[in-house]
Amino acid sequence: MRGDVTPRGAGKPAARSLVQRVDDASALHEAGAAKFASAAVQAIDARSVFRVALAGGSTPKGVYARLAEDVRWRSQVQWGKIQFFWGDERHVGPDHPDSNYRMACEVMLDRLPIDPAHVWRMKGEYEDAARAADEYERDLRSVFGLSDGQFPRFDLILLGMGADGHTASLFPGTDALRERRRLAVANHVEKLATDRLTLTVPVFNNGIDVLFLVQGPDKAEALKAVLEGPYDPERLPAQLIQPASGHLTWLVDSAAARLLSKDSRKAQSPGP
Ligand code: 6PG
């Protein structure tokens, strides 16, 4: 895995961020699992707990499967000391095929010695998505011991990116893009004709380690626009993710990275 670029063109000084390019999906799953395991070991060594916000969608599935199946990660990580959260959830119940919670349980959580009391899912089954968001915000405040105005500081936040430049359930042109006070909100997504549940930009940007997992040729246009195009977060919400003091890593395979400019392959010092 070669260290690559600090994203250019995003119009804002990028925090310490890197584009790490790997050959293909399998290499991305391997690198993602290694990153998860190393972040977990580091956090647990330092603070006896590792708090992670999982991503939904299909890309992370291969990473979660590696973590559950590969003896290196199974043995290296103290799974009982991990607290699991989600970056977003669909407006569905936990048994629904579209549920991000169900996916993570089937592929990873049900296959590892985790403590079920350390799993906080968003209650997508509630008729009123705003109620689910309010409840999740209360969960976060209680687990992280937050007072008003404070944001949770996840050890690791996993994110995917859609071919339209959305991330989590921060979709282009939606209200949640502008939320800077709340920790979790319901977000109506007109183009999907549905509500979604999502953590907010300030929560993502308070992460210690934020890791995008982007794989496949269908993401190439959006990745180029997000990393090298003008700063236009209403259209490309992934550009909003600029951790204030954390590390931002774009873990991308060659197919997704094929349109990136050649100098995006040179490691650069962090932005100004
Ligand atoms: C979701 C995710 C969403 C996802 C992207 C990429 O709930 O679907 O939070 O933001 O990460 O849509 O999805 P793929 O990994 O399936 O391409």
Side-chain angles (χ1 to χ4, degrees), residues 193-253:
T194 184
D195 289 332
R196 286 283 192 93
L197 295 166
T198 188
L199 298 185
T200 57
V201 171
V203 173
F204 292 129
N205 284 343
N206 202 39
I208 295 172
D209 249 323
V210 180
L211 176 62
F212 272 99
L213 305 166
V214 186
Q215 191 273 319
D218 63 322
K219 306 291 175 75
E221 299 270 341
L223 191 63
K224 170 117 179 135
V226 166
L227 294 184
E228 298 183 356
Y231 185 63
D232 184 3
E234 273 294 308
R235 193 171 62 84
L236 298 165
Q239 289 184 331
L240 288 165
I241 309 306
Q242 305 259 358
S245 57
H247 285 249
L248 173 62
T249 304
W250 289 82
L251 182 58
V252 302
D253 76 343

Side-chain angles (χ1 to χ4, degrees), residues 50-114:
F50 175 59
R51 292 175 171 145
V52 58
L54 299 177
S58 56
T59 306
K61 278 178 91 167
V63 173
Y64 301 161
R66 285 288 163 100
L67 288 165
E69 291 156 8
D70 189 315
V71 66
R72 287 170 297 164
W73 317 131
R74 287 185 64 89
S75 57
Q76 213 178 82
V77 176
Q78 297 178 70
W79 294 97
K81 294 188 174 176
I82 300 184
Q83 295 180 357
F84 293 92
F85 301 81
W86 276 259
D88 75 320
E89 186 55 278
R90 287 79 181 278
H91 195 190
V92 294
D95 301 323
H96 191 283
D98 291 349
S99 163
N100 289 335
Y101 165 79
R102 172 176 161 174
M103 180 273 278
C105 287
E106 283 178 346
V107 179
M108 176 170 65
L109 302 184
D110 292 349
R111 308 165 69 191
L112 286 167
I114 61 140

Side-chain angles (χ1 to χ4, degrees), residues 168-179:
S169 284
L170 302 171
F171 284 82
T174 59
D175 292 348
L177 301 187
R178 287 171 292 283
E179 178 57 55

